[in-house]
Amino acid sequence: MTKLFSLVFSCMGILATYGQNNTSYWQQHVSYTMNVDMNVENFQYKGTQELVYTNNSPDTLTQVFYHLYFNAFQPESEMDVRSRNLPDPDSRVEDRISKLTPEEIGFLKVDALTQDGQEVTYITEGTVLEVTLTEPIAPGKKATFAMQFNGQVPKQIRRSGRNNAEGVALSMTQWYPKMAEYDFEGWHAHPYIAREFHGVWGDFDVTITIDKNYVLGGTGYLQNADAIGHGYQSGDKKVTTKEKKLSWHFKAPQVHDFAWAADPEFIHDKVQVPNGPMLHFLYKNKKEIQENWKNLQPKAVALMEYFNKNIGDYPYDQYSIIQGGDGGMEYAMCTLITGEREFGSLVGVTAHEMAHSWFQHILATNESKHEWMDEGFTSYISALAMNTVMEQKKENPFENIYKGYTWLATSGKEQPQSTQADHYDYNGAYGASAYSKGAVFLAQLGYIIGKENLAKTIKRYYSDWKFKHPTPNDFKRIAEKVSGIQLDWYLTDWTQTTSTIDYGVKSIEEEDGKAIVSLERIGRIPMPIDLLVTYKDGTKEAYYIPLRMMRGQKKNQHQDINRVVADDWAWTHPMYKLNLSKSKATISEIVIDPSKKMADINAGNNTMKL
């Protein structure tokens, strides 16, 4: 069915690839079989789940944890209380959870759970199910968990829900009991408070039974398309049924999530990406949005082709863009986006959420700990994609992203990017750190190692680490191998501190008929320096000052300007003197970082005019 799965994914547990903790790489594996019956009158559903869990770790497990995300949408939940105590709560949440009635809340309840046929002990603590195993799961062994559960879809507040602001009936994301991730750091059974997710890769076999008039889209490949219809059937075949409900059967191999949305008024369009996946578009049958959604389709094809070219091939055979949710949110093989937007915004949110397929659903860093690697990298590549696909032709497509970071760095609200995602003191600071500062990390890395090496790094990172949950160090090591430049200083200073970059041209003097430029490092983060000298006769000369502890240098980024490589600048030295080849009188202007890719928080002292 797919071009991806010639290898059995469970063999990932014994790969000899060396990973985050310098031991043989391993990861757990899950295989879900779920059957769910949805009542669209009261938005409640019942389900069964069989989960085969493979322990590929070197540890014997005596307990496991499940996420019960819908329990967050209840008064006094951790999400509710946290939102009401933040100085700048998410406007979609605020105090809305506290006001939900019993008929509006969300819940996910486990009615029965066994391990290999034996009952286990379990308790529910908010959005986490704690399970004490009847028998420990030894390294290399499997256990089969059989569960009965029931749930209620909450009123749409955050990501998931029913009857969103645009009238979409069901946005079914994080809707099922989901096994938590266990990796070289241990269990990641984080409560659902605000941020995003970390999951175990595996195979999903899901059957959803629902009112026959509802059109579904989401994760996986529909197995019974000719019995379902609704635009999924082959050819022009008409599908009718006398039953009141249809059972939609999906299979999704090698994913770490399963999401879907449904509405009786969905239009369903399909567009094939040349040498790529089938794109599905599901949106409300509203006259005022149809033109935008039709025009979105060729842009989505172009975006998919851009990401394939600049990151690596999308490995699945389908991707669905679905109207739903409360903004834009990525899931396995699909995204939910609000659809009543201006056209540029519609393409922009699609670009961002689609790019997440690579950085979150194929690479899949732990978003509770390293959210900037997903949000920031996605923001970086989607800005480039929009610049191309929408023909924006911006000289610097990251200009606003850099402004967002500068605001953060000078706001007094910044915390290190190593802060756990739910623990930021301000929502605004979290957003700027994850999105803006995360994107600047990549764009500025291009300044440090050169744009050609950055492009190669992104591709190799994807190639080497897809389906492996990489950490920041894993990305840094790829960049070092590609560029030959040492980057530990950059990763540490940028992500684990709130130190900033600030360089300035202090003075220009003259000695023996030659100009001497004095530069100063004011901020605490050291950087290599690109300096451009413009002479009064219109000629230009570039100077490059490597940072000593880089132990290397980038190629000349100015194809039409001669570059002089000066002596290294040691980070311990706040001052540096640069000898130019001409007199002071010949100089018109000196500029530090003419590319504006160095995130200098005070660009005002980067230029000196004579």
Side-chain angles (χ1 to χ4, degrees):
M1 176 180 296
T2 71
K3 57 196 174 188
L4 172 66
F5 307 106
S6 57
L7 293 177
V8 178
F9 183 59
S10 60
C11 73
M12 290 294 294
I14 58 173
L15 286 179
T17 302
Y18 283 84
Q20 299 95 322
N21 56 349
N22 294 322
T23 62
S24 293
Y25 180 84
W26 55 267
Q27 64 176 252
Q28 309 293 60
H29 185 267
V30 290
S31 180
Y32 289 88
T33 301
M34 290 190 283
N35 288 274
V36 181
D37 193 315
M38 171 64 72
N39 183 333
V40 298
E41 299 299 324
N42 61 10
F43 301 101
Q44 294 184 0
Y45 56 101
K46 293 184 177 181
T48 62
Q49 179 189 96
E50 180 183 272
L51 191 158
V52 180
Y53 186 84
T54 304
N55 180 18
N56 290 317
S57 82
D59 307 320
T60 297
L61 304 180
T62 59
Q63 60 182 167
V64 299
F65 299 89
Y66 288 80
H67 297 285
L68 305 175
Y69 292 105
F70 273 6
N71 290 349
F73 302 103
Q74 300 174 13
E76 295 299 315
S77 71
E78 289 170 90
M79 181 184 283
D80 172 38
V81 174
R82 174 67 170 165
S83 180
R84 288 189 281 116
N85 283 279
L86 279 171
D88 61 337
D90 188 317
S91 60
R92 291 164 292 193
V93 183
E94 295 185 329
D95 63 347
R96 293 176 62 208
I97 296 175
S98 68
K99 298 174 181 177
L100 294 177
T101 67
E103 292 74 28
E104 294 173 331
I105 67 169
F107 62 72
L108 199 49
K109 299 177 181 179
V110 175
D111 299 319
L113 179 61
T114 62
Q115 173 194 352
D116 297 323
Q118 300 181 60
E119 292 185 0
V120 295
T121 301
Y122 58 89
I123 60 171
T124 298
E125 293 283 357
T127 61
V128 176
L129 185 77
E130 303 175 2
V131 182
T132 301
L133 299 179
T134 302
E135 293 290 336
I137 309 174
K141 299 299 182 180
K142 298 182 178 182
T144 299
F145 296 95
M147 178 187 291
Q148 296 177 21
F149 64 94
N150 73 91
Q152 178 169 286
V153 186
K155 180 180 179 181
Q156 180 76 51
I157 289 180
R158 190 68 185 99
R159 297 190 178 97
S160 310
R162 66 193 200 229
N163 299 325
N164 80 346
E166 297 179 349
V168 175
L170 290 166
S171 296
M172 296 297 290
T173 61
Q174 307 306 130
W175 57 275
Y176 60 94
K178 181 178 180 179
M179 182 67 73
E181 177 68 279
Y182 182 85
D183 63 16
F184 72 101
E185 295 179 312
W187 284 104
H188 297 278
H190 304 294
Y192 184 26
I193 296 174
R195 305 306 172 206
E196 297 172 24
F197 317 109
H198 191 39
V200 192
W201 267 294
D203 305 318
F204 286 73
D205 186 321
V206 180
T207 299
I208 301 163
T209 300
I210 193 169
D211 182 290
K212 67 179 181 180
N213 294 315
Y214 278 63
V215 185
L216 270 64
T219 305
Y221 308 108
L222 185 60
Q223 301 296 295
N224 57 340
D226 285 345
I228 293 295
H230 290 303
Y232 287 95
Q233 70 272 27
S234 54
D236 296 326
K237 180 180 178 181
K238 293 185 178 181
V239 179
T240 58
T241 179
K242 295 181 180 179
E243 304 296 326
K244 293 183 178 180
K245 290 188 172 184
L246 289 174
S247 293
W248 299 63
H249 182 199
F250 295 93
K251 287 188 178 181
Q254 201 168 346
V255 295
H256 59 80
D257 190 22
F258 190 99
W260 55 283
D263 192 90
E265 297 178 354
F266 270 158
I267 294 173
H268 175 207
D269 295 331
K270 295 186 292 186
V271 179
Q272 180 70 53
V273 177
N275 301 311
M278 178 69 75
L279 299 184
H280 297 264
F281 299 85
L282 295 103
Y283 54 98
K284 294 282 284 187
N285 187 4
K286 292 184 178 180
K287 183 178 179 180
E288 58 270 27
I289 69 171
Q290 289 185 22
E291 182 179 0
N292 278 352
W293 275 83
K294 294 292 185 183
N295 292 336
L296 170 66
Q297 295 169 22
K299 296 297 185 183
V301 170
L303 289 167
M304 178 66 70
E305 292 177 320
Y306 184 92
F307 298 138
N308 279 340
K309 178 181 178 182
N310 291 281
I311 308 174
D313 286 342
Y314 178 78
Y316 306 107
D317 286 339
Q318 79 93 9
Y319 183 78
S320 297
I321 300 167
I322 310 168
Q323 185 179 1
D326 61 355
M329 181 63 199
E330 74 280 1
Y331 299 97
M333 298 191 203
C334 67
T335 181
L336 270 64
I337 61 174
T338 48
E340 297 178 3
R341 300 167 174 260
E342 296 294 327
F343 181 64
S345 175
L346 188 65
V347 179
V349 72
T350 299
H352 184 87
E353 303 309 331
M354 183 185 287
H356 274 301
S357 291
W358 283 259
F359 290 116
Q360 174 51 22
H361 284 283
I362 300 170
L363 286 159
T365 50
N366 182 347
E367 288 188 280
S368 294
K369 300 185 69 173
H370 314 302
E371 67 283 349
W372 61 271
M373 292 184 72
D374 173 37
E375 295 295 355
F377 289 18
T378 292
S379 297
Y380 170 84
I381 202 70
S382 59
L384 289 176
M386 285 291 287
N387 205 38
T388 298
V389 170
M390 295 298 282
E391 299 180 349
Q392 295 172 336
K393 299 179 181 179
K394 296 178 181 177
E395 184 176 349
N396 182 4
F398 311 112
E399 182 177 359
N400 288 333
I401 288 172
Y402 274 75
K403 288 179 180 178
Y405 163 69
T406 301
W407 169 85
L408 174 69
T410 57
S411 68
K413 299 176 180 179
E414 184 180 11
Q415 294 171 251
Q417 287 181 310
S418 54
T419 303
Q420 206 273 356
D422 276 311
H423 294 187
Y424 282 80
D425 294 334
Y426 294 88
N427 262 321
Y430 162 82
S433 180
Y435 292 78
S436 297
K437 189 176 182 181
V440 171
F441 174 88
L442 267 194
Q444 186 169 245
L445 181 61
Y447 169 82
I448 296 169
I449 67 176
K451 61 182 181 181
E452 302 89 350
N453 280 333
L454 176 59
K456 292 176 183 177
T457 294
I458 292 171
K459 289 184 177 181
R460 183 167 172 183
Y461 171 57
Y462 178 75
S463 175
D464 288 3
W465 283 99
K466 57 187 175 184
F467 303 111
K468 294 180 185 176
H469 294 308
T471 67
N473 189 66
D474 297 319
F475 178 80
K476 183 210 73 171
R477 293 293 293 126
I478 294 293
E480 289 178 332
K481 292 172 184 176
V482 168
S483 68
I485 291 173
Q486 297 300 305
L487 295 166
D488 196 57
W489 60 275
Y490 179 53
L491 179 66
T492 299
D493 282 358
W494 191 256
T495 66
Q496 297 182 33
T497 78
T498 57
S499 298
T500 57
I501 300 165
D502 184 10
Y503 280 86
V505 181
K506 188 173 181 64
S507 65
I508 303 175
E509 300 171 351
E510 188 168 328
E511 185 175 313
D512 297 329
K514 300 292 178 66
I516 301 174
V517 180
S518 293
L519 305 175
E520 59 179 336
R521 176 178 59 79
I522 304 162
R524 298 180 70 178
I525 298 181
M527 293 290 286
I529 297 299
D530 287 340
L531 192 81
L532 183 65
V533 181
T534 302
Y535 297 100
K536 291 179 179 177
D537 63 4
T539 60
K540 295 181 179 182
E541 193 171 27
Y543 286 84
Y544 175 58
I545 307 172
L547 181 64
R548 181 173 295 173
M549 61 184 171
M550 288 168 51
R551 311 300 175 192
Q553 56 187 256
K554 67 180 176 184
K555 293 180 179 179
N556 185 7
Q557 303 293 290
H558 305 280
Q559 296 181 355
D560 56 344
I561 302 176
N562 178 58
R563 185 183 76 163
V564 176
V565 179
D567 293 338
D568 292 349
W569 188 343
W571 77 268
T572 53
H573 294 42
M575 299 297 298
Y576 183 95
K577 290 187 179 296
L578 177 67
N579 297 314
L580 302 188
S581 61
K582 296 182 181 181
S583 69
K584 179 178 178 180
T586 65
I587 299 172
S588 172
E589 183 181 63
I590 293 177
V591 179
I592 294 174
D593 179 31
S595 72
K596 298 182 180 179
K597 294 294 174 60
M598 186 172 72
D600 193 311
I601 63 166
N602 178 21
N605 58 7
N606 287 13
T607 301
M608 182 171 286
K609 296 180 182 291
L610 281 78

